[in-house]
Amino acid sequence: GESVGLHLPTLSVQEGDNSIINCAYSNSASDYFIWYKQESGKGPQFIIDIRSNMDKRQGQRVTVLLNKTVKHLSLQIAATQPGDSAVYFCAENLSSGGSYIPTFGRGTSLIVHP
Amino acid sequence: GAVVSQHPSRVICKSGTSVKIECRSLDFQATTMFWYRQFPKQSLMLMATSNEGSKATYEQGVEKDKFLINHASLTLSTLTVTSAHPEDSSFYICSARDTSGNYNEQFFGPGTRLTVL
């Protein structure tokens, strides 16, 4: 099940490196996934999404990979910058009555060192 | 993109008082809004789903009589924390769903920091 409630794991990288943030989701019926970035004291900000009929999607400097076999998502950030420092959450969405109900993963704190 | 606002951004209250938090979708209509609670260094936990014109759907373990939700219009949902206690201190975040977009895209508010003394 979801690991909500546990403290956040941390990933520390050097500026310019690539970052990979992982997320395990719990429900094999989830069919829509979103990565969010949350800076301290602010609400989550949409980064990129992917539907279950895809296994890869690319955005600007970000790529999301989906492995439905093992229920795993990853977010890759290229050339990480200090401004990327934040907590990153994946959210799985399960369709219910025609709408999506989101469930957030535990989150990963990304720290980028200049 | 669409903007969701919350008011107030911060509130400090005495134990036993009630606090109302507003969530507004500023440039779109939202038939569904969500309320989350987030404790320090933890994930967002869904408290309830607020549907315009009908009763909210609460997640298991969330007291509906303590966390009153009203979604009277397509642009406003309110969360009232009744008889607040120090353990209710948290970061409350709302999101609004723009059903006119693809995949029912959700937009988050900036959050409200509640501190109960």
Side-chain angles (χ1 to χ4, degrees):
Chain A
E2 285 294 329
S3 300
V4 293
L6 299 179
H7 292 286
L8 300 173
T10 299
L11 174 66
S12 291
V13 300
Q14 290 296 128
E15 181 178 2
D17 287 351
N18 297 331
S19 302
I20 300 176
I21 299 170
N22 297 301
C23 174
Y25 63 94
S26 60
N27 194 330
S28 58
S30 294
D31 57 0
Y32 177 49
F33 305 87
I34 306 174
W35 278 101
Y36 291 97
K37 173 186 180 182
Q38 186 181 28
E39 296 175 317
S40 181
K42 298 183 180 179
Q45 176 186 2
F46 174 94
I47 301 174
I48 192 168
D49 59 358
I50 189 168
R51 298 214 74 183
S52 60
N53 60 353
M54 303 171 68
D55 53 20
K56 180 179 181 179
R57 189 156 190 234
Q58 288 185 293
Q60 187 177 10
R61 281 202 306 121
V62 295
T63 301
V64 55
L65 299 178
L66 173 63
N67 185 330
K68 294 181 289 295
T69 303
V70 295
K71 293 187 287 186
H72 183 269
L73 273 168
S74 69
L75 177 69
Q76 301 178 2
I77 305 175
T80 315
Q81 303 167 2
D84 294 327
S85 294
V87 176
Y88 290 81
F89 293 98
C90 68
E92 59 180 301
N93 288 260
L94 180 64
S95 179
S96 175
S99 297
Y100 283 103
I101 307 297
T103 301
F104 278 75
R106 64 187 296 195
T108 296
S109 177
L110 175 65
I111 300 173
V112 182
H113 301 282
Chain B
V3 178
V4 174
S5 70
Q6 281 184 242
H7 177 80
S9 57
R10 291 178 178 272
V11 57
I12 301 172
C13 69
K14 293 182 179 179
S15 184
T17 61
S18 294
V19 174
K20 180 185 283 189
I21 303 170
E22 293 185 347
C23 177
R24 293 182 185 272
S25 57
L26 298 186
D27 50 4
F28 66 98
Q29 293 184 331
T31 55
T32 304
M33 292 183 174
F34 299 93
W35 286 98
Y36 295 85
R37 179 168 51 184
Q38 185 179 33
F39 293 107
K41 298 191 184 300
Q42 294 188 18
S43 186
L44 282 75
M45 296 189 66
L46 181 64
M47 299 175 66
T49 302
S50 170
N51 299 298
E52 188 267 336
S54 64
K55 291 183 179 180
T57 304
Y58 289 82
E59 295 299 301
Q60 190 173 6
V62 178
E63 300 175 57
K64 62 179 181 180
D65 294 330
K66 180 168 182 64
F67 299 99
L68 301 178
I69 291 173
N70 184 281
H71 193 160
S73 80
L74 288 171
T75 59
L76 173 65
S77 176
T78 61
L79 169 69
T80 301
V81 183
T82 62
S83 187
H85 288 94
E87 58 266 29
D88 298 323
S89 298
S90 189
F91 194 49
Y92 291 86
I93 304 171
C94 74
S95 70
R97 173 163 288 161
D98 182 0
T99 53
S100 64
N102 290 327
Y103 311 137
N104 297 314
E105 190 171 2
Q106 243 188 113
F107 300 95
F108 285 82
T112 296
R113 174 77 60 195
L114 171 62
T115 303
V116 185
L117 303 177

